[in-house]
């Protein structure tokens, strides 16, 4: 993180009054940002070594992140999209006794926790001291089942990732990044805070746009792209699909200010990627995971190939072991909190293959379905086709215990005929086609993670307990139509 603080000091010295970050409530220049970071870091002098961050996002979050890092402490985000039970687990697992928050009442039932207000105290302190290093952050992943696990990321991982991504993305001071994903996620910390600081670029936060990720109307997100005219942004596939559909409905194309829109966190259907480009979105698919500091491979500007997540980042060695993606290099995590150090080569649990030097993701190893006939099916292969429809928020394919039939759980934003599902799956071989479908609300408790991917354990329960609708085959649909 030393290069980030060196860049911040450089901006303060050479362009102090240039705007660095904007959110819904305020604007900070590079000089303002430095003052606030130093102020909060000084107030953390007597705080415990581990500090939680209980902020939804925006400039206050940026200040908190940088201040905790500058103070040499370990920071632990408490995601606003996690359940109370999940955040209670984080507080206990990370042994957090101090939290940065705007609302102290959130912790009124926990008197042992000190609440630190990130608001500027008004004291003009000294200039920013040199970062001494050694700070870590613990990013809790929601995982596919069980309690969240804390991924420990330090300077080595972040510095290597930032160096590779800065070179890959071509970021400059003329960029304007629209930050959509929550800052509690490592990927948006990198893309929404650190890369812009390194480049001297401006970052914009608009929470109404972020709320679209959780099912709120898409209009504020589309409008924000037009009013703010960013050059870069980062989206989840489910949000991309809704944005594309909204642009198509408006008969509009994305603003031509955009030069780089990254999408990751889940598989993107090739048809959706093609539709995105047709409405002027310069889409670049990538792949990564928190355990490898968020990004492993990414399509480069001007060299994006649909259906792939691009070449591996510089400095990383990716090998396939029985089809599983493994990663060795400086971005591999320190380890899980309260666990053993990470091995030199990390087994990701993801299946993939290479087309030339470009990585293609085939799905999760632990999600692989084995039918009664002995066929192996990656559910993502089937789900991609469904998720390309903007009316569908997410889907999950699974096997029903009672009869071994393939059943598809579909979370829809609006009603959808079963015939539409059947047509979307028409090109699949018969062994991979589900026989039934279960429609659910996107707000189904526990079903969806923030990036829109399904919790397969919850989907499995739904498959075994909910009534399903038969999914007609294409021949039946065509005979009925005639």
């Amino acid at each position: 993180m030393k290069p980030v603080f060196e860049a911040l000091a450089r901006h303060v010295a050479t362009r102090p009054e240039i705007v660095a970050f904007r959110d819904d409530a305020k604007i900070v220049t590079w000089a303002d940002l430095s003052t606030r970071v130093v102020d909060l870091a000084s107030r953390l002098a007597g705080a415990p070594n581990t500090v939680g961050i209980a902020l939804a996002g925006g400039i206050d979050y940026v200040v908190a992140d940088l201040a905790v890092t500058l103070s040499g402490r370990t920071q632990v985000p408490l995601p606003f999209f996690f359940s109370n039970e999940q955040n209670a687990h984080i507080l206990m697992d990370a042994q957090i006794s101090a939290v940065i928050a705007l609302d102290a009442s959130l912790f009124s039932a926990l008197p042992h926790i000190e609440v630190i207000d990130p608001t500027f105290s008004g004291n003009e302190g000294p200039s920013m001291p040199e970062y001494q290093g050694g700070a870590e952050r613990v990013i809790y992943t929601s995982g596919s089942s069980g309690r969240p696990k804390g991924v420990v990321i330090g300077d080595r991982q972040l510095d290597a990732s930032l160096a590779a991504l800065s070179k890959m993305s071509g970021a400059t001071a003329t960029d304007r990044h629209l930050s959509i994903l929550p800052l509690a996620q490592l990927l948006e910390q990198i893309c929404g805070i650190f890369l812009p600081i390194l480049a001297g670029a401006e970052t914009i936060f608009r929470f109404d746009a972020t709320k679209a990720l959780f099912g709120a109307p898409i209009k504020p997100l589309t409008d924000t792209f037009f009013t703010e005219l960013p050059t870069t942004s980062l989206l989840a596939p489910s949000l991309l699909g809704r944005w594309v559909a909204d642009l198509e409905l408006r008969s509009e194309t994305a603003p031509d200010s955009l030069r780089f829109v990254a999408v990751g966190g889940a598989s993107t259907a090739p048809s959706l990627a093609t539709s995105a480009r047709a409405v002027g979105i310069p889409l670049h698919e990538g792949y990564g995971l928190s355990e490898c500091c968020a990004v492993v491979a990414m399509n480069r500007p001007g060299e994006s190939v649909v259906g792939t997540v691009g070449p591996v980042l510089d400095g990383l060695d990716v090998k396939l072991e029985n089809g599983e993606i493994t990663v060795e290099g400086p971005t591999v995590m320190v380890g899980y909190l309260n666990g053993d150090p990470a091995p030199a080569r990390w087994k990701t649990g993801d299946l993939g293959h290479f087309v030339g030097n470009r990585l293609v993701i085939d799905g999760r190893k632990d999600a692989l379905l084995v039918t009664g006939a002995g066929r192996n099916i990656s559910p993502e292969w089937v789900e991609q086709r469904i998720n390309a429809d903007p009316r569908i928020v997410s889907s999950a394919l699974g096997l029903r215990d009672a009869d071994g039939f393939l059943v598809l759980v579909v979370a829809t934003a609006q009603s959808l005929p079963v015939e539409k599902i059947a047509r979307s799956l028409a090109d699949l071989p018969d062994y991979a086609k589900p026989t039934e479908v279960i429609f659910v609300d996107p707000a189904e408790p526990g079903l969806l993670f923030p990036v829109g991917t399904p919790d397969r354990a919850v989907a499995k329960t739904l498959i075994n307990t909910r009534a399903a609708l038969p999914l007609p085959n294409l021949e039946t649909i065509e005979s009925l139509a005639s």
Side-chain angles (χ1 to χ4, degrees), residues 23 135 144 148 211 298 301 339 341 349 353 430:
D23 64 18
S144 58
K211 287 190 290 187
M298 176 67 73
H353 65 276
D430 287 341

Side-chain angles (χ1 to χ4, degrees), residues 303-461:
E303 302 176 5
S304 191
V305 176
V306 170
T308 81
V309 294
V312 172
L313 289 190
D314 290 350
L316 300 185
D317 179 43
V318 170
K319 287 186 170 62
L320 302 177
E321 297 182 2
N322 297 318
E324 182 178 2
I325 299 167
T326 68
V327 183
E328 184 174 5
T331 67
V332 174
M333 66 175 179
V334 176
Y336 288 120
L337 186 67
N338 303 320
D340 294 330
R345 179 166 292 278
W346 181 253
K347 295 184 176 182
T348 65
D350 293 312
L351 301 172
H353 65 276
F354 281 98
V355 176
N357 70 332
R358 297 176 182 276
L359 184 61
V360 177
I361 308 302
D362 296 323
R364 287 289 300 170
K365 183 178 179 180
D366 57 10
L368 194 69
L369 302 173
V370 182
T371 68
R375 293 281 196 173
N376 293 341
I377 302 171
S378 289
E380 295 90 346
W381 175 40
V382 178
E383 294 158 4
Q384 269 191 353
R385 288 162 168 77
I386 302 300
N387 296 346
D389 190 311
R391 293 169 292 183
I392 294 174
V393 177
S394 189
S395 63
L397 183 71
L399 291 166
R400 188 162 52 207
D401 292 339
D403 51 23
F405 287 177
L406 284 169
V407 180
L408 188 67
V409 176
V410 180
T412 59
Q414 55 184 280
S415 61
L416 195 69
V418 291
E419 291 80 7
K420 170 62 180 174
I421 302 293
R423 288 189 182 280
S424 298
L425 304 176
D427 65 329
L428 289 172
D430 287 341
Y431 73 83
K433 292 179 180 177
T435 59
E436 297 175 58
V437 61
I438 299 170
F439 290 108
V440 299
D441 190 286
E444 179 72 35
L447 178 61
L448 300 181
F449 295 126
V451 293
T453 53
D455 184 324
R456 298 195 182 278
V458 174
K460 179 75 169 177
T461 299

